[in-house]
């Protein structure tokens, strides 16, 4: 989902230069600080991934241009450390270093969401320090292990992960790549049509075959579906609906393909007597 904002005007690109931008709300609170070589693309990401947090609150933006990206990045970090933007997650004070002069802890609404969603954030009792993407990946793996995410079910979209964990879309994508590498989820499709699903492991398949109501693998068939199958199918359908509402250009053919890839093909033709 994207959210328009009539208060914000996108400046034209300046080839070879990097923009440092600051978004403010109507009380002049600093919401978010960032750098980009292409404001149009970067702010399109904000319209989508910050739609449920700070983007609708923004009423003005300032933009300063720099000839060197390194210079813009250094000032971005300084602004985050000293001006306490509400929704930046990166660049915040770390317990592993001394605070710089003038630095103060950021309120960071996103960081509070991150800590809550991951059960402790960077540091969980009894575990070593972990990066944001690792914390997100481990939390999703726990969802899979506990059954909150069922085998064969679609993964939450990038937008859903951003809104749940309060992280950037790049952090969410790194977490997804870690889960793929660990065999917890698997990609289906290619390019912009790639979707991710919880891996069907051998134990999951054995459970399906030994259930009280057997299911014919690869078909919805004449035999009844169990509860896990029904939830997996609903998850695929609702994911398709969400993508359609986000304007991602999906159609019924995409839905059919994802159902078939998950092992839920069309009903077999009725047999004559």
């Amino acid at each position: 989902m994207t959210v328009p904002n009539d208060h914000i005007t996108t400046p034209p690109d300046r080839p070879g230069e990097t923009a440092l931008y600051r978004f403010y709300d109507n009380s002049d609170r600093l919401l978010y600080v960032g750098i980009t070589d292409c404001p149009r693309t970067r702010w399109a990401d904000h319209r989508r991934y910050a739609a449920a947090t700070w983007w609708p609150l923004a009423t003005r933006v300032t933009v300063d241009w720099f000839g060197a990206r390194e210079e813009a990045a250094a000032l971005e970090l300084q602004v985050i450390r000293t001006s306490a933007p509400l929704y930046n997650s990166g660049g915040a004070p770390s317990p592993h270093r001394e605070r710089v002069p003038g630095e103060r802890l950021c309120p960071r609404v996103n960081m509070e969401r991150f800590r809550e969603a991951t059960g402790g954030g960077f540091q969980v009792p009894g575990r070593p320090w972990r990066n944001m993407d690792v914390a997100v990946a481990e939390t999703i793996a726990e969802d899979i292990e506990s059954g909150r995410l069922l085998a064969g079910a679609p993964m939450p979209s990038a937008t859903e992960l951003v809104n749940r964990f309060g992280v950037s879309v790049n952090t969410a994508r790194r977490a997804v790549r870690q889960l793929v590498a660990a065999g917890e989820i698997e990609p289906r499709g290619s390019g912009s049509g790639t979707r991710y699903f919880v891996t069907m492991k051998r134990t999951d398949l054995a459970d399906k075959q030994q259930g009280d109501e057997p299911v014919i693998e690869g078909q919805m068939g004449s035999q009844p579906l169990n509860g896990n199958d029904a939830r997996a199918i609903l998850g695929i359908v609702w994911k398709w609906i969400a993508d359609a509402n986000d304007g991602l250009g999906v159609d019924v053919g995409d839905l059919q393909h994802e159902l078939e890839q998950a092992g839920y093909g069309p009903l077999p033709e009725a047999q004559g007597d």
Side-chain angles (χ1 to χ4, degrees), residues 78 81-82 98-104:
Q78 179 182 339
R81 289 179 176 175
T82 59
E98 296 290 333
R99 290 170 62 184
V100 300
E103 184 172 8
R104 57 198 178 99

Side-chain angles (χ1 to χ4, degrees), residues 176-243:
V176 167
R177 289 196 291 270
Q178 291 182 34
L179 290 165
V180 171
E184 296 287 355
I185 64 175
E186 57 188 8
R188 297 176 188 164
S190 60
S192 61
T194 302
R195 299 290 184 270
Y196 296 90
F197 293 81
V198 179
T199 303
M200 292 288 290
K201 301 175 183 177
R202 290 183 178 179
T203 53
D204 300 317
L205 294 173
D207 288 343
K208 288 179 69 175
Q209 294 168 356
Q210 295 174 9
D212 294 334
E213 296 184 331
V215 178
I216 299 175
E217 182 66 26
Q219 292 184 358
M220 291 195 298
S222 58
Q223 300 192 50
L225 296 169
N226 63 31
N228 286 349
D229 289 300
R231 283 190 290 271
I233 292 170
L234 284 173
I236 293 170
V237 172
W238 279 110
K239 175 67 167 55
W240 176 84
I241 291 172
D243 286 344

